[in-house]
Amino acid sequence: ARVWNVPVQKVQHHEAHAWSVLAENDLINTDDSILCVVWDGTGYGNDRNTWGGEFFSYDKHELKRIAHLEYFPVWMGDRMAREPRLSALSLASGLVYAEKILKPKFSEQEWAYYTKVITKEPGHYTSSMGRLFDAVASLLGVCDKNTFEGQAAMYLETLASSAGPAATRYPVRWRESVLDVKSLMQAILKDISRKKSSAYIAHKFHTYLADVVYDLAAATRLTRITFSGGVFQNALLVDLIINRFKEHDHQLFFHRELSPNDENISFGQLTVARVKNELEHYLDDELVNNL
């Protein structure tokens, strides 16, 4: 920027996702308020935590973060993204039935070390939906260590697709604007203890996520909803969300030409720059006219 003598404009990762899907669906100048759902693995948040399970409202060129997944500790930095067992440890440690499932995933030396680590204050926290997928995949024995990005989530989707809808649902619980993830983990652990099949639980988890979107849409009374972030590469989840809303008066907007993954970030950043410039020109013209 210094070399080219151009201004720098910072755009937060998940906000860029939201701007991108809004622009792709020609919603930037709409008069209606919109619920923007952005779920992915990792993005630096405005509060210095790692975001990834975010809900925004969009109204007249303004984005506002209105809800998010419950924060949980990040242990061992980037290793947590490579080892789903660490996400499971972070989210399930201390819950009923957890130790019996978690302990065999570690060597004796690792278990002794990690159980000490998690008693200390973590460096930071995350609201990552990607890490939630990792945790569930690990608890179900699908994947404890990734050999490529998104492996645990992909395997979990495949497993869930092999099962039909469950007879019961996991309840969606909020503490004000924070989605209570711990109660979900406890419910999953209870199903595991009851010998429910992994495919059954995996499908039930995906259904729960569709219910989360529906629940917040009902609470906010927002009937136009956009979706962005790598989690929405999950075809089963997208189908369940569409099916959840099919009998209701809602409009759902997904990426069409761009992937929901991070390839759309730059488009979202450019959209913000364009909107900002248009607003600046409008204000300048208004100022001139008033003078």
Side-chain angles (χ1 to χ4, degrees):
R2 284 194 298 268
V3 171
W4 291 353
N5 193 31
V6 296
V8 174
Q9 185 170 349
K10 296 180 180 180
V11 184
Q12 196 274 333
H13 181 93
H14 299 95
E15 292 180 3
H17 269 301
W19 282 102
S20 179
V21 69
L22 286 165
E24 188 176 351
N25 287 278
D26 196 24
L27 296 170
I28 295 298
N29 295 315
T30 182
D31 291 329
D32 297 323
S33 297
I34 297 173
L35 173 62
C36 303
V37 183
V38 182
W39 292 350
D40 64 5
T42 301
Y44 188 64
N46 292 335
D47 60 1
R48 298 188 178 182
N49 287 308
T50 302
W51 291 4
E54 313 309 315
F55 302 88
F56 300 91
S57 64
Y58 177 77
D59 187 49
K60 296 180 175 62
H61 296 166
E62 293 293 333
L63 272 177
K64 180 182 178 183
R65 187 185 188 219
I66 59 172
H68 59 86
L69 264 68
E70 175 183 1
Y71 281 129
F72 52 94
V74 175
W75 304 115
M76 309 305 292
D78 290 341
R79 182 179 293 182
M80 194 162 158
R82 299 192 299 271
E83 299 187 20
R85 62 180 186 162
L86 294 178
S87 293
L89 182 65
S90 177
L91 276 161
S93 180
L95 299 179
V96 179
Y97 313 117
E99 184 172 338
K100 183 178 179 181
I101 298 169
L102 292 171
K103 192 172 182 179
K105 300 178 182 297
F106 301 87
S107 68
E108 287 188 17
Q109 185 177 7
E110 286 175 330
W111 184 253
Y113 174 71
Y114 286 128
T115 50
K116 287 182 181 179
V117 167
I118 63 176
T119 63
K120 301 176 182 178
E121 183 68 21
H124 66 286
Y125 292 82
T126 184
S127 58
S128 170
M129 180 62 76
R131 300 295 78 79
L132 177 59
F133 266 85
D134 285 351
V136 175
S138 179
L139 290 178
L140 296 182
V142 173
C143 181
D144 288 327
K145 293 184 179 180
N146 287 326
T147 58
F148 58 87
E149 185 177 355
Q151 180 179 356
M154 291 171 65
Y155 284 12
L156 188 64
E157 177 191 359
T158 300
L159 179 65
S161 298
S162 69
T168 60
R169 296 175 182 262
Y170 292 129
V172 177
R173 294 193 174 100
W174 298 86
R175 294 194 306 275
E176 295 182 354
S177 61
V178 177
L179 181 64
D180 181 357
V181 176
K182 281 286 188 180
S183 64
L184 167 67
M185 300 305 290
Q186 187 63 80
I188 289 174
L189 288 166
K190 189 173 184 180
D191 269 351
I192 294 172
S193 74
R194 290 174 171 174
K195 308 297 183 183
K196 299 292 186 182
S197 76
S198 294
Y200 170 95
I201 297 171
H203 196 285
K204 196 172 174 180
F205 168 66
H206 281 72
T207 301
Y208 164 85
L209 295 179
D211 287 343
V212 166
V213 178
Y214 178 83
D215 195 68
L216 188 60
T220 58
R221 298 184 180 180
L222 296 175
T223 58
R224 308 183 91 186
I225 311 171
T226 65
F227 302 86
S228 189
V231 168
F232 293 108
Q233 294 176 114
N234 185 319
L236 174 62
L237 176 60
V238 170
D239 286 345
L240 287 170
I241 290 172
I242 292 172
N243 186 62
R244 187 69 179 84
F245 283 94
K246 69 179 182 180
E247 295 180 0
H248 301 274
D249 186 23
H250 290 76
Q251 292 178 284
L252 310 182
F253 300 91
F254 297 89
H255 288 285
R256 296 170 297 173
E257 301 297 327
L258 297 174
S259 164
N261 211 345
D262 284 359
E263 73 172 60
N264 70 60
I265 290 292
S266 56
F267 182 59
Q269 292 168 328
L270 287 169
T271 300
V272 174
R274 178 63 185 270
V275 169
K276 179 178 173 62
N277 288 338
E278 287 182 351
L279 290 174
E280 286 177 348
H281 290 317
Y282 170 78
L283 292 175
D284 289 344
D285 291 341
E286 185 177 56
L287 179 62
V288 168
N289 290 335
N290 286 339
L291 289 174

